[in-house]
Amino acid sequence: MKLLAMVICGALLSACAIGPDYKRPEITEPVQFKEAQGWRQATPSDSLARGAWWELYGDRQLNDLVTRLNNANQTVAQAEARFRQAQAQVRSARGAFFPTVDLSAGKTRASQGTGSSNASLSSSSSGIRDTLNTQLGVSWEADVWGKLRRGLEANEATAEASSADLAAMRLSQQSELVQDYLQLRVMDEQTRLLQATVDAYQRSLTMTENQYRAGVSGKDAIAQAQTQLKSTQASLIDLIWQRAQLENAIAVLIGEAPANFNLAVSKDIPALPQIPLSVPSQLLERRPDIASAERSVIAANANIGVAKAAYYPDLTLSLAGGYSSSTYADWISLPNRFWSVGPKVAMTLFDGGQRSAEVDRSIASYDETVAKYRQTVLDGFREVENYMVQLKVLEDEAVVSNEALDAARESLRLTENQYKAGLIAYLDVVTVQATALSNERTVLTLLQTRLVASVQLIAALGGGWDGQTPISDKD
């Protein structure tokens, strides 16, 4: 009855937990994004709520590559392994709530001698004795002050932070792959443009050489045509290694050796998607890095309770019993049994300020994680604002650049006709051709920048992560 009363008393005391309960740190949260005014929302507005955000670009090959990345990317595999380690820590912390059962069996051989200090009567005797022991013990630490619960709380928050880190790493790798793929497709179009330009310049050079032989054009025109042709050929060759670098980067992202991976040239460039925006408050739930930072705050808050619980005594209830004998014959028999039961209270009376220092360290660690969380939120808001204004400005710039390109094409057509009619020198044609090519490449470069910025904005909004990753016993 005394033991039962002690257990009940310990259970009642364990209803309390030392240390502060978690409260989300206050942050300055805007009502809406500054650059949201005039932003064109996608329909439906929840198309990025979860799942494969890269499918917004409508490219089947890109979808296949991201699937391969999800299955074979080694950086993601490292983050997944860290998450499983954190899950194991949670299971270990839960195991501390249950009794520990130990079984031991052994044999000891001991000798003890006796003697007298009397110099006149010197006698001694010694004997050797074998002892056989088997014992079953049960011990349970009552979580009176909530130390174990705070420890479990910290481990669960750490596991959830690790889960969010895994999502953030996966999103980062997916974003990098999509950006590389889109740049590569724009580069394929630039290659086609330069190849067509080289062919046109080759025809111009041939025509200029014919005119020179006919005495219509001078040798300087041939030099100018050759210079323009070779310069464009050099730019075309330069694209080869740039494309190879992007292709190799994609290979590594999907877990392949670059030598075993080839991405065929395609004529299709994925279209810019419409990207739905969330309000700033939803960003706190959608971004895995923000979620991870907040989980770290929860863990640090719980660790304060663990540190403060060290000031209070630990209560352990233990029960042990077994058999002890000097011979095998009657080892396991009623007369040789033994047992013990009772509580044990232990606490540190003096430690030179170690516990106080640990509490101060835990509080400082909590303050650090709060500052990191707030900074992560601010960085998230900044990234979204930056990519929103970038996409809006680039859209306006694209309109002007396309108008400039149309004008350059028309100017080139008129200038070539005038040159063929002998009304102008070839230098005028070269100048207009260079301007037209520059405008063509500017439009493609601008498209590439817009595609990359769209990926960055989607990643800044949290991608397809829904923030729902429960930690269960069976994980």
Side-chain angles (χ1 to χ4, degrees):
M1 292 298 295
K2 291 182 179 179
L3 178 63
L4 179 61
M6 195 171 299
V7 172
I8 295 175
C9 181
L12 292 174
L13 287 173
S14 65
C16 62
I18 301 300
D21 293 328
Y22 173 72
K23 182 180 179 181
R24 174 180 283 185
E26 295 182 0
I27 57 174
T28 303
E29 183 181 306
V31 178
Q32 68 174 18
F33 293 109
K34 180 174 63 176
E35 300 298 333
Q37 185 175 4
W39 183 266
R40 292 185 299 176
Q41 282 278 18
T43 304
S45 61
D46 62 347
S47 61
L48 280 184
R50 62 186 62 84
W53 58 267
W54 52 89
E55 292 181 357
L56 291 174
Y57 293 91
D59 190 294
R60 183 174 299 178
Q61 189 170 31
L62 174 60
N63 297 341
D64 294 339
L65 289 172
V66 177
T67 300
R68 294 174 66 179
L69 179 147
N70 293 335
N71 295 330
N73 183 273
Q74 296 306 300
T75 303
V76 173
Q78 294 175 48
E80 191 272 337
R82 288 192 293 269
F83 174 50
R84 287 189 284 110
Q85 294 175 46
Q87 288 180 307
Q89 290 289 341
V90 172
R91 294 196 300 271
S92 176
R94 285 175 178 163
F97 287 90
F98 297 93
T100 300
V101 180
D102 298 314
L103 175 64
S104 63
K107 175 182 178 181
T108 59
R109 187 175 180 85
S111 172
Q112 180 177 2
T114 61
S116 173
S117 58
N118 193 332
S120 60
L121 298 174
S122 176
S123 63
S124 64
S125 64
S126 63
I128 298 176
R129 182 180 179 181
D130 293 333
T131 303
L132 303 173
N133 284 285
T134 180
Q135 176 177 320
L136 180 67
V138 180
S139 64
W140 175 65
E141 181 180 354
D143 191 24
V144 178
W145 315 111
K147 180 177 69 173
L148 298 181
R149 277 171 289 148
R150 290 302 188 190
L152 175 60
E153 181 183 346
N155 279 282
E156 287 181 335
T158 300
E160 291 175 357
S162 181
S163 172
D165 289 338
L166 171 60
M169 181 58 68
R170 183 180 289 113
L171 175 60
S172 174
Q173 297 294 293
Q174 291 168 349
S175 173
E176 185 177 344
L177 184 144
V178 176
Q179 291 180 56
D180 290 344
Y181 181 85
L182 295 176
Q183 291 182 80
L184 185 142
R185 288 306 175 214
V186 174
M187 196 166 293
D188 287 342
E189 183 61 31
Q190 290 179 332
T191 301
R192 284 191 292 274
L193 168 65
L194 288 177
Q195 186 59 61
T197 304
V198 165
D199 295 340
Y201 287 173
Q202 184 62 60
R203 291 193 296 271
S204 296
L205 175 59
T206 301
M207 183 181 65
T208 303
E209 290 174 340
N210 292 336
Q211 290 179 341
Y212 171 72
R213 286 191 291 268
V216 177
S217 177
K219 196 169 184 179
D220 59 331
I222 295 178
Q224 293 167 357
Q226 287 178 333
T227 300
Q228 190 175 46
L229 173 63
K230 296 303 179 182
S231 297
T232 308
Q233 286 176 335
S235 298
L236 180 60
I237 295 173
D238 187 63
L239 288 178
I240 296 176
W241 72 267
Q242 294 184 40
R243 188 187 191 280
Q245 284 188 322
L246 291 173
E247 189 177 63
N248 294 341
I250 293 173
V252 173
L253 287 170
I254 63 174
E256 289 280 352
N260 300 330
F261 178 76
N262 289 291
L263 201 57
V265 175
S266 174
K267 296 181 179 180
D268 299 324
I269 300 178
L272 277 165
Q274 288 183 312
I275 304 172
L277 293 182
S278 58
V279 296
S281 60
Q282 292 175 336
L283 188 69
L284 305 185
E285 308 296 334
R286 288 190 52 80
R287 280 185 58 132
D289 58 335
I290 293 178
S292 174
E294 185 181 0
R295 276 29 171 215
S296 296
V297 175
I298 297 174
N301 182 79
N303 284 329
I304 295 176
V306 175
K308 289 184 175 181
Y311 282 106
Y312 299 88
D314 295 330
L315 172 62
T316 303
L317 304 179
S318 60
L319 171 66
Y323 295 90
S324 178
S325 175
S326 60
T327 63
Y328 287 103
D330 57 352
W331 180 11
I332 309 298
S333 61
L334 191 61
N336 294 325
R337 68 178 180 176
F338 68 90
W339 61 270
S340 65
V341 61
K344 177 182 178 182
V345 177
M347 69 177 298
T348 302
L349 298 179
F350 177 76
D351 62 0
Q354 294 182 39
R355 287 171 296 177
S356 175
E358 180 60 22
V359 171
D360 292 342
R361 187 201 66 79
S362 299
I363 294 174
S365 177
Y366 170 80
D367 293 339
E368 179 187 4
T369 57
V370 169
K372 182 180 179 181
Y373 167 69
R374 288 171 174 162
Q375 186 62 48
T376 303
V377 172
L378 291 174
D379 289 340
F381 290 151
R382 173 184 56 81
E383 288 179 3
V384 174
E385 296 281 8
N386 285 347
Y387 295 133
M388 286 174 63
V389 69
Q390 182 182 11
L391 280 172
K392 287 200 295 185
V393 170
L394 289 175
E395 183 180 7
D396 296 338
E397 186 179 350
V399 173
V400 177
S401 295
N402 281 306
E403 292 174 350
L405 177 58
D406 292 339
R409 287 172 176 172
E410 179 63 15
S411 176
L412 177 59
R413 185 184 67 81
L414 295 174
T415 302
E416 287 178 340
N417 290 339
Q418 289 177 339
Y419 174 68
K420 293 176 183 178
L423 299 178
I424 59 175
Y426 188 73
L427 179 60
D428 298 324
V429 178
V430 170
T431 302
V432 176
Q433 284 177 334
T435 301
L437 178 60
S438 175
N439 280 275
E440 294 273 9
R441 300 195 70 178
T442 297
V443 168
L444 286 176
T445 301
L446 191 57
L447 174 60
Q448 176 177 294
T449 305
R450 293 176 68 192
L451 286 169
V452 170
S454 69
V455 178
Q456 293 170 333
L457 176 58
I458 292 174
L461 291 170
W465 190 67
D466 59 7
Q468 303 298 321
T469 308
I471 307 300
S472 63
D473 290 325
K474 63 183 179 181
D475 285 341

